[in-house]
């Protein structure tokens, strides 16, 4: 009698698809199943799938096929329309998680209110099949809506806003209502005679934090006032604009477009701490030891302040470097004292809390809103003027977190978990490949801090930092205070940006309810708010990254056109493999690729040395190399930039060989 054949095992997990056509199904227990090309069953990255495991495969490396799609992660998406053969149409998704090209059903195209047009941004749906289908079948999408043509800043930003579900700007009616809001009455401390300043980017419009400083009656102590816009006095819990702010959770800063969390009538006027006019603030007066920077005590007050002068970072930095600026009476002395105390705070945090030191330049695209066009790229390094503000905001956030604990008041905390040891091992392997030097022993906080300080001297500093960040868990919001690993703080929350972040506004509302003896939100509601803010923050970040990368590539396209098609960019080779090279562009903050297919036929890959060599002239591509690359193609739809190594100048052939050898040593 024949024994019954054992049925293949089945498992449910989330699929991740590689560009080469294979995928992995990640299971809840952390294990993964390999899915070969042709067995994805129409599923794409992010889909929750039912996979059938091949019983003949190695149990240590199980192979599976997707049997059924349970749920689409990206049920609807935005992409750019392209004509296919005949009268058929396809769509190139904006999200890199999705395949580079998806077919559109003819029925969906026929039903579209706007006829498809090549180059137009469009919205499409990726439906879940209702029954099993053969594994070789490719996914098809249904056209839902069509937007403006790609290639102009306005349409590109519209597409990104739609993809990441960023709410539309407030209407004129909303602005008029917000303009009529009156603040709640609460006992306030009059600080209008104090010297108070704001320090912000030169193009800032919403000023939600200001600083003052005074001597403490006690010897050797100094008191810094951190004054935060008292938004909660205007936005009551569960009011119309509280619900609308909660829907947004964050102000989205896209190149050439700002989508505020609050109406401009509040964000830019009534709540904004503008110079020369009395404004309501929620202030934390922190007493520091003026020799060590230790926080000795703090007190929280609702105040009225009158900002003496609005300063920008550039002004302050120039002053700190020995220059002068046109200062109101008392302002120069104030800035100098604040700078002295902030240096103490930073040194104390560095030695006591051992925060993760990862100062990276901010590289942003400068766009005009009306008309919407790209003006250029601006780079700014972290410097003492930024650190001055940062140190006092961090101190205020810590004090308020401790205050919530002291009052036993439900509040949102900014939590950041310690990295998983397996993730640190993965990063060490990636960093070893990038630098050509063995990286190990990242098991302790001290070792990680030492590595990051050492990485600051590397030509691949920025890409090493970015890679390390990808191996850290995301910080999130929660009702339980769990500490912030990156900052090295046991108690931490967000309090200092209530105009721009709902988590901060919620903390202000909770404290105001306590001060007015009103019932605050309970623990269960705050838990839900934490989950909401964390989810919205992820979408907001993704939208900002997507917009920034695409505008940078649009700008490079402009430069390429102006150069007559021969644009060269400085690049740092940060990964070398048989498939090609990954290149970081430090002037743009972009990662680009010199793929095998982009390299001329004379280039050969040596897997023993992990080097690409041009057999004609001896030129090489190797890890940590800094050199010039030519732009081969720029794809702002997908946010991808492809490069070719620039030819060596005549007479440099031998030099290229020597450089490669010395670097390998």
């Amino acid at each position: 009698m024949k024994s019954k054949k054992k049925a293949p095992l089945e498992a449910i997990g989330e699929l991740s698809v590689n560009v080469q056509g294979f995928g992995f199904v990640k299971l809840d227990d952390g294990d993964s199943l390999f899915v070969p090309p042709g067995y994805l069953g129409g599923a794409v990255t992010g889909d929750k799938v039912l996979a059938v495991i091949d019983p003949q495969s190695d149990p240590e490396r199980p192979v599976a096929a997707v049997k059924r799609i349970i749920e689409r992660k990206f049920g609807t998406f935005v992409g750019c329309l392209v004509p296919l053969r005949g009268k058929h149409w396809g769509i190139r998704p904006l999200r890199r998680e999705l395949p580079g090209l998806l077919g559109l059903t003819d029925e969906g195209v026929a039903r579209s209110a706007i006829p498809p047009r090549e180059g137009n941004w469009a919205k499409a749906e990726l439906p879940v099949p209702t029954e099993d289908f053969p594994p070789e079948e490719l996914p098809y999408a249904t056209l839902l809506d069509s937007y403006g043509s790609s290639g102009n800043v306005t349409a590109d930003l519209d597409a990104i806003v739609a993809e990441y579900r960023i709410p539309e700007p407030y209407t004129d009616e909303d602005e008029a209502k917000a303009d009529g809001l009156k603040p709640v009455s609460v006992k306030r401390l009059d600080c209008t005679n104090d010297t108070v300043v704001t320090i912000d980017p030169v193009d800032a419009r919403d000023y939600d934090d200001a600083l003052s400083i005074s001597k403490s009656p006690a010897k050797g102590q100094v008191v810094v006032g951190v004054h935060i816009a008292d938004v909660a006095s205007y936005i009551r819990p569960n009011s119309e604009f509280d619900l609308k702010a909660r829907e947004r959770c964050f102000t989205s800063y896209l190149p050439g477009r700002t989508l505020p969390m609050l109406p401009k009538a509040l964000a830019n006027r009534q709540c904004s701490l503008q110079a020369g006019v009395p404004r309501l603030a929620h202030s934390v007066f922190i007493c520091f030891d003026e020799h060590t920077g230790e926080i000795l005590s703090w007190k929280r007050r609702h105040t009225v302040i009158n900002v003496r002068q609005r300063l920008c970072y550039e002004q302050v930095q120039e002053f700190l470097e020995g220059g002068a600026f046109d200062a109101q009476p008392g302002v120069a002395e104030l800035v100098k004292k604040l700078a002295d105390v902030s240096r103490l705070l930073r040194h104390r945090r560095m030695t006591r809390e051992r925060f993760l030191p990862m100062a990276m330049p901010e590289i942003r695209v400068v766009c005009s809103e009306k008309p919407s066009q790209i003006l250029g790229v601006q780079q700014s390094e972290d410097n003492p003027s930024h650190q001055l503000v940062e140190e006092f905001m961090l101190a205020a956030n810590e004090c308020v977190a401790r205050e919530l604990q002291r009052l036993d008041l439900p509040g949102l905390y900014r939590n950041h978990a310690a990295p998983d040891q397996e993730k640190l091992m993965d990063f060490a392997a990636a960093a070893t490949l990038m630098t050509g030097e063995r990286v190990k022993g990242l098991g302790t906080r001290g070792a990680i801090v030492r590595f990051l300080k050492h990485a600051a001297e590397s030509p691949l500093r920025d890409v090493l930092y970015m890679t390390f960040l990808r191996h850290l868990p995301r910080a999130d919001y929660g009702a339980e205070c769990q500490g912030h690993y990156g900052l090295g703080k046991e108690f931490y929350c967000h309090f200092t940006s209530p105009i721009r972040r709902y988590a901060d506004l919620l903390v202000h509302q909770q404290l105001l309810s306590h001060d007015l003896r009103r019932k605050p939100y309970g623990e269960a509601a705050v838990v839900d708010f934490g989950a909401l803010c964390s989810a919205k923050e992820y979408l907001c970040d993704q939208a900002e990254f997507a917009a920034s990368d695409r505008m940078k590539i649009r700008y490079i396209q402009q430069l390429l056109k102006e150069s007559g098609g021969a644009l060269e960019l400085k690049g740092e080779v940060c990964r070398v493999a048989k498939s090609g090279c990954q290149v970081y562009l430090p002037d743009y903050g972009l990662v680009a690729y010199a793929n095998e297919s982009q390299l001329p036929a004379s280039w050969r890959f040596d897997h023993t040395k992990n080097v690409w060599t041009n057999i004609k002239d001896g030129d090489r591509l190797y890890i940590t190399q800094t050199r010039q690359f030519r732009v081969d193609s720029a794809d702002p739809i997908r946010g991808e930039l492809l490069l070719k190594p620039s030819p060596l100048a005549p007479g440099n052939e031998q030099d290229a060989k020597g450089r490669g050898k010395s670097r390998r040593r």
Side-chain angles (χ1 to χ4, degrees), residues 264-285:
K264 292 179 182 178
L266 293 172
N268 296 354
R269 294 195 294 276
Q270 287 173 270
C271 295
S272 187
L273 304 180
Q274 298 172 339
V277 289
R279 284 289 184 258
L280 306 185
H282 196 167
S283 304
V284 183
F285 296 93

Side-chain angles (χ1 to χ4, degrees), residues 589-665:
L590 278 174
V591 174
Y593 298 89
N595 292 334
E596 180 186 11
S597 58
Q598 266 76 46
L599 295 173
S602 57
W603 285 84
R604 301 285 188 273
F605 180 66
D606 184 343
H607 65 86
T608 62
K609 297 179 180 178
N610 205 37
V611 172
W612 277 91
T613 304
N614 188 335
I615 59 175
K616 282 187 175 181
D617 58 16
D619 193 6
R620 290 185 171 199
L621 291 171
Y622 50 86
I623 291 170
T624 73
Q625 180 189 36
T626 298
R627 61 171 298 150
Q628 295 296 110
F629 288 87
R630 286 186 176 177
V631 176
D632 186 62
S633 66
D635 182 1
I637 305 303
R638 297 284 288 178
E640 295 171 350
L641 191 65
L642 299 180
L643 309 172
K644 287 181 179 177
S646 296
L648 285 176
N652 283 356
E653 293 87 350
Q654 187 62 38
D655 182 50
K657 294 179 183 179
R659 276 202 318 274
K661 290 177 182 177
S662 65
R663 175 65 77 177
R664 292 299 297 175
R665 288 199 295 271

Side-chain angles (χ1 to χ4, degrees), residues 73-305:
K73 183 174 182 179
F74 306 114
T76 60
F77 64 92
V78 174
C80 195
L81 297 176
V82 291
L84 303 178
R85 290 181 181 179
K87 295 182 179 180
H88 304 298
W89 286 87
I91 185 168
R92 302 186 64 226
L94 184 152
R95 281 185 181 270
R96 293 180 193 169
E97 297 97 323
L98 294 174
L101 178 65
L102 292 168
L104 287 172
T105 59
D106 294 338
E107 296 83 359
V109 172
R111 288 198 307 268
S112 176
I114 303 176
R117 185 176 176 183
E118 184 176 0
N120 271 20
W121 286 110
K123 186 178 182 181
E125 180 183 22
L126 203 57
V128 176
T130 55
E131 57 186 27
D132 292 352
F133 42 79
E136 66 272 15
E137 184 177 339
L138 294 174
Y140 272 79
T142 303
L143 186 63
L144 298 178
D145 197 4
S146 183
Y147 306 120
S149 173
S150 63
N152 69 78
V153 174
T154 300
D156 287 356
L157 293 178
D158 287 344
I160 289 167
V161 167
E163 174 61 63
Y164 295 99
R165 297 166 178 80
I166 307 297
E168 292 296 319
Y170 285 96
T171 65
D172 291 342
E173 183 182 357
D174 289 330
E175 294 289 350
K177 282 185 182 178
D179 203 31
L181 291 178
K182 301 299 180 186
V184 68
S185 178
V186 63
K187 184 179 179 182
R188 294 189 179 276
L189 179 66
D190 186 350
C191 298
T192 52
N193 290 325
D194 295 353
T195 301
V196 180
V197 297
T198 59
I199 306 174
D200 292 282
V202 67
D203 57 352
R205 298 176 184 176
D206 49 359
Y207 314 118
D208 53 9
D209 59 79
L211 294 168
S212 65
I213 193 167
S214 61
K215 271 285 187 182
S216 169
K219 188 177 180 181
Q221 298 178 11
V222 65
V223 176
V224 174
V226 181
H227 310 281
I228 307 301
D230 201 352
V231 182
S233 290
Y234 289 88
I235 306 292
R236 294 168 177 77
N238 291 319
S239 64
E240 177 184 359
F241 286 109
D242 181 53
L243 297 178
K244 290 183 175 182
R246 194 185 303 165
E247 181 188 4
R248 292 160 172 79
C249 276
F250 294 88
T251 291
S252 295
Y253 295 99
L254 308 180
R257 186 177 302 183
T258 299
L259 298 168
M261 183 183 79
L262 297 175
K264 292 179 182 178
L266 293 172
N268 296 354
R269 294 195 294 276
Q270 287 173 270
C271 295
S272 187
L273 304 180
Q274 298 172 339
V277 289
R279 284 289 184 258
L280 306 185
H282 196 167
S283 304
V284 183
F285 296 93
I286 311 173
C287 182
F288 296 100
D289 184 310
E290 65 178 351
H291 301 295
T292 66
E294 180 185 0
I295 297 175
L296 302 175
S297 63
W298 70 88
K299 60 182 180 181
R300 182 180 55 83
R301 296 287 186 271
H302 296 277
T303 59
V304 182
I305 65 170

Side-chain angles (χ1 to χ4, degrees), residues 7 27 30 192 454 549 572:
L27 308 179
T192 52
H454 178 69
D549 284 356
E572 298 166 352

Side-chain angles (χ1 to χ4, degrees), residues 487-533:
L487 295 174
K489 289 190 178 294
E490 183 181 0
F491 299 93
Y492 195 67
C493 74
H494 275 169
F495 171 79
T496 54
S497 291
I499 288 178
R500 298 181 287 231
R501 295 188 301 228
Y502 189 76
D504 304 53
L505 174 56
L506 178 70
V507 169
H508 279 253
Q509 289 175 333
Q510 292 291 86
L511 290 168
L512 181 60
S513 293
H514 172 271
D515 296 341
L516 294 174
R517 304 184 188 280
R518 294 177 179 174
K519 186 177 180 181
Y521 289 117
E523 187 81 15
V526 173
V527 168
D528 291 341
F529 291 145
L532 174 67
C533 289

